Amino acid sequence: MLQRPRRNRSSAGVRGLVRDTQLSAANLVLPLFVQEGDGETAIRSMPGHARLGIPRLVDKAGEAFGLGVPAVALFPALVDDLKDPRGSESTNPDGLLQRSVRALKQALPELIVITDVALDPYSSDGHDGVLIDDRIDNDVTLPILAAMAVAQAEAGADVVAPSDMMDGRVGAIRSALDEAGFSNVLVCSYCCKYASGFYGPFREALDSAPRAGDKKTYQMDPANVRECLREVELDEAEGADWLMVKPGLPYADVIRLVRESTALPVAAYHVSGEYAMLKAAAQNGWLDFDRCLLESLLCLRRAGADIVFSYGAIEAARLLRR
Ligand code: PBG
């Protein structure tokens, strides 16, 4: 037979030579949850993850960095007393997140620290923007997000990542950073972030679920894909450095579209629910976690992501070493 596609699959060596896509620890970002104190609190729906006190956060980030994972993304779990409608704690220079960033940069200066810009961990309403008369007010939220990003940069964040989906926030954040002298801080825009059920475990981890309503007036409708072209164009024009698609696997077509519509690096977020599904099935003996984790992350790379955020980054980095 003239055509035998199987010849290119005939040995590990041949498969390695002809492989299109590589997955390496260097592509990964590990999201971590931080809380007050020295201890940690397990997250029921995310086996293997816990809300970490700062000392443990530093250890965990060090473990990841030692395995070749260059970056972490931080999410603070605040006590209810510190939450208010405008998320004022978010700009406190001595707030939990800011202290975490400083501790990480001091212990691991080469580690890339990515911070989340959105109101939800700080908001008594659990929304990403300010709630006024039952609506999320876009333009009242923008200066708060900009101030939050500056506070994070002052603490030493390398990359600020607006995940709030307000219109115009990338531009507002970029100019505030530049005015404050942080023109070197990158902006990773959650460019195409969908109103997804797959964020469930994350909201449990931070106790940050909306107290009323949902996020459908700002996060994208899972049915839509053309709308991504608008979001890409706007975020590019507003000065984003990276464009993210979120969630990951169910949105592989979106990742591909974004990849083909921009010259900017593209990130994909393999979100909490995607991680939880793999863990739950593996705990039941229904699938092999290690294999399915690596396959999931590889597929996100194949879809077009340069950067992959994954709760399994440490496990993946260990497996990739073998
Ligand atoms: C909130 C934020 C969310 C995630 C990252 N930043 C949740 C949400 O929008 O409700 C989700 C991450 C995950 O599920 O892993 N600004």
Side-chain angles (χ1 to χ4, degrees):
M1 263 191 284
L2 206 56
Q3 296 298 343
R4 282 197 188 270
R6 287 185 53 196
R7 278 197 287 266
N8 275 335
R9 303 172 201 144
S10 57
S11 68
V14 170
R15 289 193 297 274
L17 284 170
V18 303
R19 190 163 287 140
D20 307 5
T21 308
Q22 310 293 335
L23 174 67
S24 137
N27 305 120
L28 301 178
V29 175
L30 174 66
L32 291 172
F33 301 102
V34 61
Q35 69 178 13
E36 288 294 352
D38 298 339
E40 62 178 67
T41 308
I43 302 164
R44 197 184 46 95
S45 54
M46 298 183 72
H49 271 266
R51 302 194 323 221
L52 305 171
I54 292 177
R56 294 188 189 221
L57 175 79
V58 171
D59 288 349
K60 196 49 130 191
E63 183 185 356
F65 191 71
L67 287 163
V69 175
V72 296
L74 297 185
F75 299 96
L78 264 66
V79 292
D80 277 346
D81 294 357
L82 289 176
K83 300 186 184 185
D84 66 24
R86 301 215 168 201
S88 348
E89 176 66 11
S90 65
T91 53
N92 178 356
D94 292 315
L96 174 62
L97 191 266
Q98 273 71 250
R99 276 182 282 124
S100 309
V101 174
R102 282 198 295 270
L104 284 171
K105 291 305 290 187
Q106 194 173 8
L108 302 159
E110 304 294 315
L111 176 77
I112 298 165
V113 176
I114 305 176
T115 50
D116 195 68
V117 183
L119 255 58
D120 54 333
Y122 302 100
S123 157
S124 44
D125 297 308
H127 275 287
D128 293 15
V130 179
L131 189 67
I132 297 179
D133 298 335
D134 289 338
R135 293 171 55 108
I136 303 300
D137 193 309
N138 196 91
D139 298 1
V140 167
T141 305
L142 294 183
I144 300 177
L145 297 171
M148 188 185 310
V150 170
Q152 294 171 349
E154 276 165 354
D158 301 285
V159 181
V160 297
S163 68
D164 55 284
M165 290 302 276
M166 297 302 116
D167 293 333
R169 91 276 208 211
V170 171
I173 289 169
R174 183 71 271 161
S175 23
L177 287 173
D178 290 352
E179 268 166 43
F182 296 109
S183 53
N184 292 330
V185 170
L186 287 80
V187 177
C188 166
S189 172
Y190 284 64
C191 174
C192 302
K193 176 174 177 181
Y194 286 85
S196 172
F198 288 100
Y199 308 149
F202 175 97
R203 293 181 189 170
E204 185 199 317
L206 292 190
D207 187 24
S208 65
R211 303 297 184 247
D214 54 42
K215 300 192 175 184
K216 291 180 184 168
T217 67
Y218 45 107
Q219 299 180 345
M220 288 176 61
D221 184 336
N224 289 355
V225 69
R226 287 195 304 269
E227 204 178 330
C228 294
L229 300 174
R230 287 183 87 186
E231 292 288 357
V232 167
E233 200 178 309
L234 290 168
D235 284 356
E236 279 188 339
E238 291 176 35
D241 298 287
W242 305 345
L243 301 182
M244 186 193 286
V245 175
K246 178 182 178 190
L249 286 186
Y251 296 83
D253 58 324
V254 176
I255 298 171
R256 172 55 39 196
L257 178 70
V258 171
R259 168 70 292 149
E260 284 170 6
S261 325
T262 184
L264 290 176
V266 175
Y269 201 138
H270 187 248
V271 300
S272 58
E274 298 178 79
Y275 173 83
M277 289 195 299
L278 293 182
K279 282 285 178 188
Q283 282 179 353
N284 275 297
W286 295 343
L287 54 71
D288 175 340
F289 177 82
D290 291 354
R291 183 170 175 189
C292 293
L293 173 70
L294 287 184
E295 184 175 333
S296 299
L297 304 183
L298 178 71
C299 291
L300 293 169
R301 295 267 301 136
R302 192 197 65 231
D306 303 293
I307 304 160
V308 180
F309 286 56
S310 169
Y311 297 97
I314 287 184
E315 285 142 312
R318 266 221 181 83
L319 292 164
L320 290 166
R321 280 198 147 181
R322 294 199 192 139

